[in-house]
Amino acid sequence: MEAFLVRWGYLALLGGTVLEGEAVLVAAGAMAHQGLLSLPWVIVAAFAGSLLGDQTWFLLGRRYGTPFLQKRPALLARAGVVQTWLDKYGTLFLMGFRFLYGLRTVTPVLLGATGFPMRRFALLNTLGAALWAIAFGAIGYGLGAGLKAVLSRHGHTHELLLIGAGAAVVAAVAVYLRVRQRERRGTDPIPAQQ
């Protein structure tokens, strides 16, 4: 990912954050600590990508409505969760949905499909995208600082071991989340969704 970000820079970050992007943003934040990217521009690119992606999903929901969701059972399966969180937390949920795994795409689509006011969504989406970009950019920057401190203490001979361990942890978490997602689909009472 680092090579991809070095080659394509902020454009790669923008594209990655349109699609979901926590990993690419954290990596870009770490690279900003190394001086390969600028943290303020990392945050700006991530903000723009996140905002663009979620506004696009909202407009797709607005344009194509419920049939769009019905053709995507995985998204529709999460619609009940989104509605529950929306009923319980309202505005706070709308500003923070991108922080919740698996709800970033379905939330704007569902809101668009249900006729949620476009201006209100745009305002809350803008605030949420800014908070998300700052938070995950800062997390990446902090991880970059931590990695640098560990490497300087233990020398670069341990660099491959640390990178391998980090990759193993990321892979294990990804597998765990995928298995949980499949288990939920098998027991979800909501009929055929995304």
Side-chain angles (χ1 to χ4, degrees), residues 5-53:
L5 283 168
V6 167
R7 179 177 174 123
W8 296 99
Y10 304 108
L11 186 60
L13 178 58
L14 178 82
T17 54
V18 163
L19 301 173
E20 288 268 353
E22 286 83 7
V24 72
L25 176 52
V26 169
M31 290 174 64
H33 185 270
Q34 296 172 15
L36 299 171
L37 296 172
S38 164
L39 185 60
W41 284 109
V42 163
I43 291 170
V44 167
F47 164 76
S50 179
L51 183 65
L52 176 65

Side-chain angles (χ1 to χ4, degrees), residues 57-160:
W57 284 115
F58 180 86
L59 293 173
L60 284 171
R62 175 67 53 103
R63 172 75 172 96
Y64 298 106
T66 305
F68 181 82
L69 279 172
Q70 289 172 339
K71 290 178 185 175
R72 290 157 182 83
L75 287 179
L76 192 55
R78 293 184 224 132
V81 173
V82 169
Q83 192 60 54
T84 299
W85 283 74
L86 187 58
D87 292 344
K88 190 170 185 177
Y89 298 106
T91 300
L92 286 176
F93 172 71
L94 290 174
M95 288 176 49
F97 69 85
R98 67 182 32 85
F99 289 91
L100 303 171
Y101 179 77
L103 300 182
R104 175 150 176 218
T105 301
V106 69
T107 301
V109 171
L110 181 66
L111 292 172
T114 59
F116 192 84
M118 191 178 304
R119 282 186 178 170
R120 183 162 186 238
F121 178 77
L123 173 65
L124 296 173
N125 189 36
T126 300
L127 293 172
L131 292 171
W132 179 83
I134 292 167
F136 279 94
I139 288 168
Y141 193 86
L143 288 174
L147 183 60
K148 183 177 180 181
V150 168
L151 290 176
S152 68
R153 267 191 238 133
H154 300 289
H156 292 282
T157 57
H158 299 300
E159 184 173 3
L160 288 177

